mmCIF file of all heavy atoms in Angstrom:
data_model
loop_
_atom_site.group_PDB
_atom_site.id
_atom_site.type_symbol
_atom_site.label_atom_id
_atom_site.label_comp_id
_atom_site.label_asym_id
_atom_site.label_seq_id
_atom_site.Cartn_x
_atom_site.Cartn_y
_atom_site.Cartn_z
ATOM 1 N N GLY A 1 -65.694 59.146 -43.355
ATOM 2 C CA GLY A 1 -64.601 59.918 -42.750
ATOM 3 C C GLY A 1 -64.052 59.270 -41.502
ATOM 4 O O GLY A 1 -62.937 59.559 -41.092
ATOM 5 N N LEU A 2 -64.861 58.385 -40.871
ATOM 6 C CA LEU A 2 -64.418 57.823 -39.593
ATOM 7 C C LEU A 2 -65.057 56.460 -39.343
ATOM 8 O O LEU A 2 -66.250 56.266 -39.562
ATOM 9 C CB LEU A 2 -64.818 58.790 -38.462
ATOM 10 C CG LEU A 2 -64.388 58.426 -37.053
ATOM 11 C CD1 LEU A 2 -62.879 58.423 -36.938
ATOM 12 C CD2 LEU A 2 -64.987 59.408 -36.050
ATOM 13 N N PHE A 3 -64.205 55.509 -38.899
ATOM 14 C CA PHE A 3 -64.711 54.203 -38.452
ATOM 15 C C PHE A 3 -64.288 54.065 -37.000
ATOM 16 O O PHE A 3 -63.113 54.209 -36.677
ATOM 17 C CB PHE A 3 -64.079 53.086 -39.297
ATOM 18 C CG PHE A 3 -64.213 51.702 -38.697
ATOM 19 C CD1 PHE A 3 -65.346 50.935 -38.941
ATOM 20 C CD2 PHE A 3 -63.215 51.168 -37.881
ATOM 21 C CE1 PHE A 3 -65.474 49.670 -38.382
ATOM 22 C CE2 PHE A 3 -63.333 49.900 -37.329
ATOM 23 C CZ PHE A 3 -64.477 49.153 -37.584
ATOM 24 N N GLU A 4 -65.261 53.829 -36.114
ATOM 25 C CA GLU A 4 -64.858 53.621 -34.718
ATOM 26 C C GLU A 4 -65.839 52.702 -34.000
ATOM 27 O O GLU A 4 -67.010 52.604 -34.371
ATOM 28 C CB GLU A 4 -64.718 54.948 -33.972
ATOM 29 C CG GLU A 4 -65.991 55.718 -33.794
ATOM 30 C CD GLU A 4 -65.772 56.987 -32.968
ATOM 31 O OE1 GLU A 4 -64.932 56.965 -32.057
ATOM 32 O OE2 GLU A 4 -66.462 57.985 -33.235
ATOM 33 N N ILE A 5 -65.297 52.008 -32.991
ATOM 34 C CA ILE A 5 -66.119 51.138 -32.150
ATOM 35 C C ILE A 5 -66.259 51.826 -30.808
ATOM 36 O O ILE A 5 -65.251 52.208 -30.192
ATOM 37 C CB ILE A 5 -65.436 49.753 -31.947
ATOM 38 C CG1 ILE A 5 -65.080 49.103 -33.277
ATOM 39 C CG2 ILE A 5 -66.313 48.847 -31.087
ATOM 40 C CD1 ILE A 5 -66.188 48.422 -34.001
ATOM 41 N N LYS A 6 -67.514 52.040 -30.358
ATOM 42 C CA LYS A 6 -67.737 52.693 -29.065
ATOM 43 C C LYS A 6 -68.563 51.779 -28.185
ATOM 44 O O LYS A 6 -69.374 51.001 -28.688
ATOM 45 C CB LYS A 6 -68.555 53.976 -29.269
ATOM 46 C CG LYS A 6 -67.760 55.168 -29.690
ATOM 47 C CD LYS A 6 -68.666 56.381 -29.557
ATOM 48 C CE LYS A 6 -68.258 57.521 -30.468
ATOM 49 N NZ LYS A 6 -69.300 58.533 -30.566
ATOM 50 N N LYS A 7 -68.391 51.928 -26.886
ATOM 51 C CA LYS A 7 -69.212 51.151 -25.954
ATOM 52 C C LYS A 7 -70.305 52.064 -25.408
ATOM 53 O O LYS A 7 -70.013 53.106 -24.826
ATOM 54 C CB LYS A 7 -68.340 50.621 -24.821
ATOM 55 C CG LYS A 7 -69.047 49.575 -23.995
ATOM 56 C CD LYS A 7 -68.137 48.996 -22.928
ATOM 57 C CE LYS A 7 -68.863 47.909 -22.167
ATOM 58 N NZ LYS A 7 -68.197 47.520 -20.956
ATOM 59 N N LEU A 8 -71.565 51.667 -25.640
ATOM 60 C CA LEU A 8 -72.698 52.406 -25.078
ATOM 61 C C LEU A 8 -73.427 51.455 -24.149
ATOM 62 O O LEU A 8 -73.904 50.409 -24.584
ATOM 63 C CB LEU A 8 -73.645 52.871 -26.185
ATOM 64 C CG LEU A 8 -73.076 53.849 -27.213
ATOM 65 C CD1 LEU A 8 -74.079 54.103 -28.309
ATOM 66 C CD2 LEU A 8 -72.724 55.170 -26.558
ATOM 67 N N GLY A 9 -73.513 51.809 -22.861
ATOM 68 C CA GLY A 9 -74.126 50.878 -21.911
ATOM 69 C C GLY A 9 -73.244 49.643 -21.789
ATOM 70 O O GLY A 9 -72.048 49.728 -21.534
ATOM 71 N N ASP A 10 -73.838 48.468 -22.017
ATOM 72 C CA ASP A 10 -73.077 47.215 -21.891
ATOM 73 C C ASP A 10 -72.567 46.704 -23.229
ATOM 74 O O ASP A 10 -71.858 45.711 -23.283
ATOM 75 C CB ASP A 10 -73.982 46.117 -21.289
ATOM 76 C CG ASP A 10 -74.205 46.368 -19.817
ATOM 77 O OD1 ASP A 10 -73.461 47.196 -19.280
ATOM 78 O OD2 ASP A 10 -75.110 45.760 -19.230
ATOM 79 N N GLU A 11 -72.981 47.340 -24.321
ATOM 80 C CA GLU A 11 -72.716 46.740 -25.636
ATOM 81 C C GLU A 11 -71.793 47.603 -26.473
ATOM 82 O O GLU A 11 -71.698 48.817 -26.283
ATOM 83 C CB GLU A 11 -74.041 46.514 -26.370
ATOM 84 C CG GLU A 11 -74.977 45.619 -25.578
ATOM 85 C CD GLU A 11 -76.144 45.155 -26.428
ATOM 86 O OE1 GLU A 11 -75.893 44.688 -27.548
ATOM 87 O OE2 GLU A 11 -77.285 45.258 -25.967
ATOM 88 N N TYR A 12 -71.151 46.935 -27.437
ATOM 89 C CA TYR A 12 -70.273 47.646 -28.370
ATOM 90 C C TYR A 12 -71.047 47.974 -29.639
ATOM 91 O O TYR A 12 -71.787 47.145 -30.155
ATOM 92 C CB TYR A 12 -69.059 46.782 -28.724
ATOM 93 C CG TYR A 12 -68.046 46.715 -27.603
ATOM 94 C CD1 TYR A 12 -68.022 45.638 -26.728
ATOM 95 C CD2 TYR A 12 -67.121 47.742 -27.432
ATOM 96 C CE1 TYR A 12 -67.098 45.576 -25.692
ATOM 97 C CE2 TYR A 12 -66.195 47.695 -26.395
ATOM 98 C CZ TYR A 12 -66.188 46.611 -25.538
ATOM 99 O OH TYR A 12 -65.283 46.579 -24.517
ATOM 100 N N PHE A 13 -70.842 49.190 -30.143
ATOM 101 C CA PHE A 13 -71.483 49.602 -31.385
ATOM 102 C C PHE A 13 -70.426 50.084 -32.354
ATOM 103 O O PHE A 13 -69.441 50.706 -31.942
ATOM 104 C CB PHE A 13 -72.485 50.735 -31.122
ATOM 105 C CG PHE A 13 -73.716 50.287 -30.391
ATOM 106 C CD1 PHE A 13 -73.747 50.288 -29.001
ATOM 107 C CD2 PHE A 13 -74.843 49.860 -31.080
ATOM 108 C CE1 PHE A 13 -74.868 49.874 -28.316
ATOM 109 C CE2 PHE A 13 -75.976 49.442 -30.403
ATOM 110 C CZ PHE A 13 -75.990 49.446 -29.021
ATOM 111 N N CYS A 14 -70.657 49.780 -33.632
ATOM 112 C CA CYS A 14 -69.714 50.213 -34.665
ATOM 113 C C CYS A 14 -70.298 51.423 -35.387
ATOM 114 O O CYS A 14 -71.447 51.374 -35.850
ATOM 115 C CB CYS A 14 -69.496 49.064 -35.645
ATOM 116 S SG CYS A 14 -68.547 49.590 -37.063
ATOM 117 N N PHE A 15 -69.529 52.508 -35.467
ATOM 118 C CA PHE A 15 -69.983 53.734 -36.136
ATOM 119 C C PHE A 15 -69.169 53.945 -37.414
ATOM 120 O O PHE A 15 -67.940 53.900 -37.366
ATOM 121 C CB PHE A 15 -69.761 54.955 -35.240
ATOM 122 C CG PHE A 15 -70.667 54.998 -34.044
ATOM 123 C CD1 PHE A 15 -70.408 54.221 -32.919
ATOM 124 C CD2 PHE A 15 -71.781 55.814 -34.043
ATOM 125 C CE1 PHE A 15 -71.232 54.266 -31.818
ATOM 126 C CE2 PHE A 15 -72.616 55.864 -32.939
ATOM 127 C CZ PHE A 15 -72.355 55.089 -31.821
ATOM 128 N N ILE A 16 -69.872 54.156 -38.523
ATOM 129 C CA ILE A 16 -69.190 54.577 -39.768
ATOM 130 C C ILE A 16 -69.798 55.933 -40.105
ATOM 131 O O ILE A 16 -70.935 56.012 -40.590
ATOM 132 C CB ILE A 16 -69.421 53.558 -40.899
ATOM 133 C CG1 ILE A 16 -68.778 52.218 -40.512
ATOM 134 C CG2 ILE A 16 -68.829 54.060 -42.216
ATOM 135 C CD1 ILE A 16 -69.077 51.091 -41.471
ATOM 136 N N THR A 17 -69.084 57.001 -39.774
ATOM 137 C CA THR A 17 -69.700 58.336 -39.837
ATOM 138 C C THR A 17 -68.855 59.320 -40.643
ATOM 139 O O THR A 17 -67.849 58.950 -41.241
ATOM 140 C CB THR A 17 -69.896 58.892 -38.411
ATOM 141 O OG1 THR A 17 -68.665 58.759 -37.705
ATOM 142 C CG2 THR A 17 -70.968 58.113 -37.661
ATOM 143 N N GLU A 18 -69.327 60.581 -40.606
ATOM 144 C CA GLU A 18 -68.685 61.683 -41.342
ATOM 145 C C GLU A 18 -68.580 61.350 -42.824
ATOM 146 O O GLU A 18 -67.549 61.625 -43.470
ATOM 147 C CB GLU A 18 -67.299 61.997 -40.752
ATOM 148 C CG GLU A 18 -67.361 62.505 -39.322
ATOM 149 C CD GLU A 18 -65.973 62.734 -38.716
ATOM 150 O OE1 GLU A 18 -64.996 62.851 -39.480
ATOM 151 O OE2 GLU A 18 -65.890 62.791 -37.477
ATOM 152 N N CYS A 19 -69.622 60.722 -43.369
ATOM 153 C CA CYS A 19 -69.594 60.338 -44.794
ATOM 154 C C CYS A 19 -69.876 61.554 -45.667
ATOM 155 O O CYS A 19 -70.676 62.412 -45.301
ATOM 156 C CB CYS A 19 -70.641 59.261 -45.072
ATOM 157 S SG CYS A 19 -70.421 57.796 -44.077
ATOM 158 N N LYS A 20 -69.270 61.595 -46.833
ATOM 159 C CA LYS A 20 -69.547 62.663 -47.794
ATOM 160 C C LYS A 20 -70.818 62.277 -48.555
ATOM 161 O O LYS A 20 -70.855 61.248 -49.221
ATOM 162 C CB LYS A 20 -68.395 62.820 -48.789
ATOM 163 C CG LYS A 20 -67.057 63.119 -48.142
ATOM 164 C CD LYS A 20 -65.958 63.140 -49.197
ATOM 165 C CE LYS A 20 -64.566 63.058 -48.600
ATOM 166 N NZ LYS A 20 -64.226 61.717 -48.084
ATOM 167 N N ASP A 21 -71.853 63.102 -48.425
ATOM 168 C CA ASP A 21 -73.134 62.882 -49.117
ATOM 169 C C ASP A 21 -73.638 61.443 -48.943
ATOM 170 O O ASP A 21 -73.771 60.698 -49.904
ATOM 171 C CB ASP A 21 -72.966 63.205 -50.620
ATOM 172 C CG ASP A 21 -74.329 63.193 -51.319
ATOM 173 O OD1 ASP A 21 -75.332 63.475 -50.650
ATOM 174 O OD2 ASP A 21 -74.383 62.868 -52.516
ATOM 175 N N PRO A 22 -73.903 61.034 -47.691
ATOM 176 C CA PRO A 22 -74.406 59.664 -47.508
ATOM 177 C C PRO A 22 -75.863 59.616 -47.938
ATOM 178 O O PRO A 22 -76.600 60.566 -47.713
ATOM 179 C CB PRO A 22 -74.301 59.463 -45.991
ATOM 180 C CG PRO A 22 -74.430 60.828 -45.419
ATOM 181 C CD PRO A 22 -73.872 61.791 -46.424
ATOM 182 N N LYS A 23 -76.271 58.542 -48.570
ATOM 183 C CA LYS A 23 -77.675 58.413 -48.956
ATOM 184 C C LYS A 23 -78.393 57.454 -48.001
ATOM 185 O O LYS A 23 -79.424 56.879 -48.340
ATOM 186 C CB LYS A 23 -77.776 57.920 -50.410
ATOM 187 C CG LYS A 23 -77.375 58.976 -51.414
ATOM 188 C CD LYS A 23 -78.329 60.158 -51.336
ATOM 189 C CE LYS A 23 -77.887 61.332 -52.187
ATOM 190 N NZ LYS A 23 -78.546 62.574 -51.776
ATOM 191 N N ALA A 24 -77.793 57.236 -46.829
ATOM 192 C CA ALA A 24 -78.426 56.414 -45.796
ATOM 193 C C ALA A 24 -78.016 56.991 -44.453
ATOM 194 O O ALA A 24 -76.987 57.653 -44.349
ATOM 195 C CB ALA A 24 -77.949 54.971 -45.906
ATOM 196 N N CYS A 25 -78.851 56.774 -43.435
ATOM 197 C CA CYS A 25 -78.484 57.326 -42.127
ATOM 198 C C CYS A 25 -79.058 56.461 -41.015
ATOM 199 O O CYS A 25 -79.930 55.627 -41.250
ATOM 200 C CB CYS A 25 -78.993 58.758 -41.984
ATOM 201 S SG CYS A 25 -80.778 58.849 -41.962
ATOM 202 N N THR A 26 -78.551 56.662 -39.810
ATOM 203 C CA THR A 26 -79.088 55.991 -38.624
ATOM 204 C C THR A 26 -79.507 57.069 -37.647
ATOM 205 O O THR A 26 -78.774 58.031 -37.416
ATOM 206 C CB THR A 26 -78.009 55.088 -37.983
ATOM 207 O OG1 THR A 26 -77.598 54.126 -38.949
ATOM 208 C CG2 THR A 26 -78.561 54.355 -36.781
ATOM 209 N N ILE A 27 -80.707 56.899 -37.093
ATOM 210 C CA ILE A 27 -81.195 57.835 -36.078
ATOM 211 C C ILE A 27 -80.990 57.150 -34.723
ATOM 212 O O ILE A 27 -81.504 56.052 -34.507
ATOM 213 C CB ILE A 27 -82.690 58.139 -36.287
ATOM 214 C CG1 ILE A 27 -82.915 58.763 -37.674
ATOM 215 C CG2 ILE A 27 -83.224 59.044 -35.203
ATOM 216 C CD1 ILE A 27 -84.354 58.760 -38.116
ATOM 217 N N ILE A 28 -80.226 57.785 -33.858
ATOM 218 C CA ILE A 28 -80.012 57.196 -32.524
ATOM 219 C C ILE A 28 -81.010 57.825 -31.562
ATOM 220 O O ILE A 28 -81.045 59.049 -31.415
ATOM 221 C CB ILE A 28 -78.581 57.467 -32.021
ATOM 222 C CG1 ILE A 28 -77.565 56.855 -32.970
ATOM 223 C CG2 ILE A 28 -78.390 56.912 -30.622
ATOM 224 C CD1 ILE A 28 -76.138 57.065 -32.545
ATOM 225 N N LEU A 29 -81.826 56.985 -30.942
ATOM 226 C CA LEU A 29 -82.779 57.468 -29.945
ATOM 227 C C LEU A 29 -82.289 57.060 -28.557
ATOM 228 O O LEU A 29 -81.963 55.899 -28.329
ATOM 229 C CB LEU A 29 -84.158 56.845 -30.169
ATOM 230 C CG LEU A 29 -84.978 57.361 -31.346
ATOM 231 C CD1 LEU A 29 -86.363 56.756 -31.301
ATOM 232 C CD2 LEU A 29 -85.098 58.872 -31.336
ATOM 233 N N ARG A 30 -82.211 58.023 -27.661
ATOM 234 C CA ARG A 30 -81.873 57.710 -26.266
ATOM 235 C C ARG A 30 -83.092 58.033 -25.426
ATOM 236 O O ARG A 30 -83.867 58.916 -25.763
ATOM 237 C CB ARG A 30 -80.691 58.572 -25.789
ATOM 238 C CG ARG A 30 -79.441 58.498 -26.610
ATOM 239 C CD ARG A 30 -78.826 57.123 -26.706
ATOM 240 N NE ARG A 30 -78.557 56.483 -25.434
ATOM 241 C CZ ARG A 30 -77.392 56.509 -24.806
ATOM 242 N NH1 ARG A 30 -76.373 57.139 -25.326
ATOM 243 N NH2 ARG A 30 -77.221 55.873 -23.655
ATOM 244 N N GLY A 31 -83.240 57.319 -24.313
ATOM 245 C CA GLY A 31 -84.404 57.587 -23.460
ATOM 246 C C GLY A 31 -84.311 56.771 -22.190
ATOM 247 O O GLY A 31 -83.463 55.883 -22.057
ATOM 248 N N ALA A 32 -85.218 57.075 -21.256
ATOM 249 C CA ALA A 32 -85.126 56.482 -19.934
ATOM 250 C C ALA A 32 -85.383 54.983 -19.924
ATOM 251 O O ALA A 32 -84.672 54.222 -19.305
ATOM 252 C CB ALA A 32 -86.112 57.178 -19.009
ATOM 253 N N SER A 33 -86.429 54.546 -20.642
ATOM 254 C CA SER A 33 -86.788 53.125 -20.573
ATOM 255 C C SER A 33 -87.233 52.627 -21.938
ATOM 256 O O SER A 33 -87.445 53.414 -22.861
ATOM 257 C CB SER A 33 -87.924 52.924 -19.575
ATOM 258 O OG SER A 33 -89.111 53.467 -20.119
ATOM 259 N N LYS A 34 -87.421 51.322 -22.037
ATOM 260 C CA LYS A 34 -87.822 50.724 -23.313
ATOM 261 C C LYS A 34 -89.177 51.256 -23.777
ATOM 262 O O LYS A 34 -89.383 51.519 -24.951
ATOM 263 C CB LYS A 34 -87.888 49.201 -23.164
ATOM 264 C CG LYS A 34 -86.561 48.514 -23.404
ATOM 265 C CD LYS A 34 -86.772 47.136 -24.074
ATOM 266 C CE LYS A 34 -85.470 46.550 -24.566
ATOM 267 N NZ LYS A 34 -84.660 45.952 -23.501
ATOM 268 N N ASP A 35 -90.138 51.394 -22.836
ATOM 269 C CA ASP A 35 -91.482 51.866 -23.205
ATOM 270 C C ASP A 35 -91.424 53.273 -23.793
ATOM 271 O O ASP A 35 -92.057 53.571 -24.798
ATOM 272 C CB ASP A 35 -92.411 51.882 -21.970
ATOM 273 C CG ASP A 35 -92.805 50.465 -21.567
ATOM 274 O OD1 ASP A 35 -92.863 49.610 -22.466
ATOM 275 O OD2 ASP A 35 -93.043 50.224 -20.374
ATOM 276 N N VAL A 36 -90.646 54.133 -23.145
ATOM 277 C CA VAL A 36 -90.493 55.516 -23.638
ATOM 278 C C VAL A 36 -89.880 55.488 -25.033
ATOM 279 O O VAL A 36 -90.328 56.195 -25.943
ATOM 280 C CB VAL A 36 -89.606 56.334 -22.669
ATOM 281 C CG1 VAL A 36 -89.219 57.669 -23.283
ATOM 282 C CG2 VAL A 36 -90.328 56.553 -21.353
ATOM 283 N N LEU A 37 -88.847 54.657 -25.217
ATOM 284 C CA LEU A 37 -88.173 54.586 -26.522
ATOM 285 C C LEU A 37 -89.105 54.071 -27.607
ATOM 286 O O LEU A 37 -89.099 54.583 -28.730
ATOM 287 C CB LEU A 37 -86.940 53.679 -26.430
ATOM 288 C CG LEU A 37 -85.706 54.315 -25.794
ATOM 289 C CD1 LEU A 37 -84.624 53.285 -25.602
ATOM 290 C CD2 LEU A 37 -85.186 55.448 -26.652
ATOM 291 N N ASN A 38 -89.901 53.041 -27.283
ATOM 292 C CA ASN A 38 -90.813 52.487 -28.295
ATOM 293 C C ASN A 38 -91.841 53.514 -28.740
ATOM 294 O O ASN A 38 -92.128 53.643 -29.927
ATOM 295 C CB ASN A 38 -91.543 51.245 -27.747
ATOM 296 C CG ASN A 38 -90.595 50.071 -27.623
ATOM 297 O OD1 ASN A 38 -89.546 50.043 -28.267
ATOM 298 N ND2 ASN A 38 -90.935 49.108 -26.795
ATOM 299 N N GLU A 39 -92.400 54.252 -27.775
ATOM 300 C CA GLU A 39 -93.401 55.270 -28.121
ATOM 301 C C GLU A 39 -92.743 56.397 -28.915
ATOM 302 O O GLU A 39 -93.300 56.902 -29.886
ATOM 303 C CB GLU A 39 -94.044 55.800 -26.832
ATOM 304 C CG GLU A 39 -95.121 56.839 -27.042
ATOM 305 C CD GLU A 39 -96.324 56.355 -27.828
ATOM 306 O OE1 GLU A 39 -96.397 55.182 -28.263
ATOM 307 O OE2 GLU A 39 -97.214 57.179 -28.074
ATOM 308 N N THR A 40 -91.520 56.781 -28.517
ATOM 309 C CA THR A 40 -90.793 57.837 -29.239
ATOM 310 C C THR A 40 -90.545 57.404 -30.681
ATOM 311 O O THR A 40 -90.705 58.196 -31.613
ATOM 312 C CB THR A 40 -89.447 58.132 -28.548
ATOM 313 O OG1 THR A 40 -89.690 58.362 -27.174
ATOM 314 C CG2 THR A 40 -88.772 59.339 -29.148
ATOM 315 N N GLU A 41 -90.170 56.136 -30.862
ATOM 316 C CA GLU A 41 -89.905 55.653 -32.228
ATOM 317 C C GLU A 41 -91.174 55.703 -33.068
ATOM 318 O O GLU A 41 -91.147 56.121 -34.223
ATOM 319 C CB GLU A 41 -89.368 54.213 -32.191
ATOM 320 C CG GLU A 41 -88.977 53.739 -33.581
ATOM 321 C CD GLU A 41 -88.747 52.235 -33.675
ATOM 322 O OE1 GLU A 41 -89.117 51.498 -32.755
ATOM 323 O OE2 GLU A 41 -88.196 51.817 -34.697
ATOM 324 N N ARG A 42 -92.326 55.283 -32.494
ATOM 325 C CA ARG A 42 -93.580 55.316 -33.260
ATOM 326 C C ARG A 42 -93.902 56.737 -33.698
ATOM 327 O O ARG A 42 -94.307 56.982 -34.826
ATOM 328 C CB ARG A 42 -94.722 54.763 -32.400
ATOM 329 C CG ARG A 42 -94.797 53.245 -32.403
ATOM 330 C CD ARG A 42 -96.067 52.764 -31.751
ATOM 331 N NE ARG A 42 -96.020 52.919 -30.307
ATOM 332 C CZ ARG A 42 -95.568 51.990 -29.467
ATOM 333 N NH1 ARG A 42 -95.137 50.842 -29.940
ATOM 334 N NH2 ARG A 42 -95.558 52.185 -28.168
ATOM 335 N N ASN A 43 -93.707 57.694 -32.770
ATOM 336 C CA ASN A 43 -93.999 59.092 -33.098
ATOM 337 C C ASN A 43 -93.033 59.630 -34.141
ATOM 338 O O ASN A 43 -93.418 60.385 -35.034
ATOM 339 C CB ASN A 43 -93.914 59.962 -31.836
ATOM 340 C CG ASN A 43 -94.916 59.555 -30.769
ATOM 341 O OD1 ASN A 43 -94.790 59.936 -29.637
ATOM 342 N ND2 ASN A 43 -95.903 58.754 -31.129
ATOM 343 N N LEU A 44 -91.770 59.233 -34.019
ATOM 344 C CA LEU A 44 -90.760 59.711 -34.960
ATOM 345 C C LEU A 44 -91.038 59.169 -36.365
ATOM 346 O O LEU A 44 -90.822 59.872 -37.362
ATOM 347 C CB LEU A 44 -89.363 59.287 -34.488
ATOM 348 C CG LEU A 44 -88.222 59.946 -35.229
ATOM 349 C CD1 LEU A 44 -88.219 61.441 -34.977
ATOM 350 C CD2 LEU A 44 -86.888 59.375 -34.791
ATOM 351 N N GLN A 45 -91.533 57.935 -36.441
ATOM 352 C CA GLN A 45 -91.884 57.370 -37.762
ATOM 353 C C GLN A 45 -92.940 58.234 -38.432
ATOM 354 O O GLN A 45 -92.880 58.491 -39.633
ATOM 355 C CB GLN A 45 -92.404 55.929 -37.617
ATOM 356 C CG GLN A 45 -91.351 54.898 -37.289
ATOM 357 C CD GLN A 45 -90.305 54.734 -38.387
ATOM 358 O OE1 GLN A 45 -90.473 55.186 -39.514
ATOM 359 N NE2 GLN A 45 -89.199 54.101 -38.054
#
C-alpha cells in the first residue's frame, strides 16, 4: 500500500508497508543502547 524512504537517526530506511495479507514482516526494535537492543532481540526470539 505504501513505499517510502524515512530517515531514522543518521541513516535512511526504505519501508514497503500496508501490504494486503503479507506473508513476511519486519519487527522494529527501538532502545537506549546496543546492549539493551541485543538482549531485547534475544528475548524476543
Side-chain angles (χ1 to χ4, degrees):
L2 183 64
F3 164 87
E4 66 177 326
I5 306 280
K6 278 192 205 166
K7 192 176 183 193
L8 297 174
D10 287 346
E11 302 192 49
Y12 285 98
F13 289 89
C14 172
F15 290 79
I16 296 173
T17 50
E18 296 177 19
C19 302
K20 302 175 196 73
D21 189 28
K23 288 297 173 199
C25 66
T26 301
I27 300 165
I28 300 180
L29 286 187
R30 304 300 306 265
S33 71
K34 273 214 169 78
D35 287 331
V36 169
L37 281 173
N38 289 339
E39 181 62 0
T40 309
E41 185 193 13
R42 277 190 286 270
N43 299 164
L44 191 65
Q45 287 296 346

